[in-house]
Structures are given as C-alpha cells and as structure tokens.
Amino acid sequence: MIKVVAKNFIKTDKVDEFITQAKKLVQETKQNDAGCVHYELYQDLSNPQLLTIIEEWENKEMLAQHMAAKHFKEAAVVFKDLMEKPGEINLYQKLA
C-alpha cells in the first residue's frame, strides 16, 4: 500500500472554487481509478487555505495510472491557478 499526502496552499479568494473542483476530482477518482483504496479531501482547522488530499493506493503502478488519467490532469491544470504557492506531496509506505 502507498499513502499519499498532497497539501495544497490555496489563494484566500479561491478556497471555495478549489473545494468544488477537488470534490469533483475525489468523486471521479473513486468511480474510475482502479487500485484506489481511499481518496479524501481535508481542510486544516486553523488554516482554511490549507487543503489536503489524503490517498491510499494498492501500489505505485495504480497511483501512476491515476496521475495519467484525464480527470487528474485536468484538475491539476485548474488547481495550478488557484494555488498561492506550489503544493507539497509526500508518499508513504506502511512499515507496521
């Protein structure tokens, strides 16, 4: 299993738009992407501009297929214009 934590730093006036677009991505990913165990959107309680997608994938190959999918690529283009600064993506492998 691969866990992904993708932090997105969103412009103040673009938070609602990001949430709308991210919810669409979450729905399309859950419906269409094989190997997706979990794919969820979270908003930081102390900083509403910090929105994080926490994902779990069966393996790196399934994650790569997701990142090559049309719905992911389209969302990435939209997200770029809504971000205050580049996001942070960390991949984790469960050890215990």
Side-chain angles (χ1 to χ4, degrees):
M1 293 284 180
I2 302 294
K3 183 82 73 169
V4 179
V5 177
K7 292 182 179 182
N8 300 281
F9 306 95
I10 308 305
K11 296 174 185 173
T12 304
D13 62 336
K14 300 295 183 181
V15 170
D16 290 339
E17 185 177 350
F18 180 88
I19 291 171
T20 298
Q21 294 299 320
K23 284 181 177 180
K24 181 180 173 187
L25 175 62
V26 168
Q27 180 181 14
E28 290 177 347
T29 297
K30 287 180 175 181
Q31 290 175 346
N32 299 311
D33 292 1
C36 178
V37 179
H38 296 288
Y39 202 91
E40 300 168 322
L41 174 66
Y42 294 89
Q43 187 172 35
D44 188 277
L45 293 175
S46 62
N47 178 2
Q49 290 176 256
L50 176 56
L51 289 122
T52 302
I53 297 176
I54 300 177
E55 316 166 28
E56 189 169 2
W57 295 90
E58 289 179 11
N59 55 49
K60 283 185 179 180
E61 292 76 23
M62 298 292 189
L63 173 58
Q65 288 176 14
H66 162 66
M67 294 177 75
K70 181 181 178 200
H71 58 271
F72 179 83
K73 288 182 175 183
E74 289 174 350
V77 170
V78 171
F79 291 170
K80 186 176 180 180
D81 291 334
L82 306 177
M83 293 185 156
E84 188 173 82
K85 64 180 182 177
E88 296 175 7
I89 299 175
N90 296 93
L91 290 106
Y92 299 91
Q93 179 176 326
K94 187 175 181 178
L95 300 177

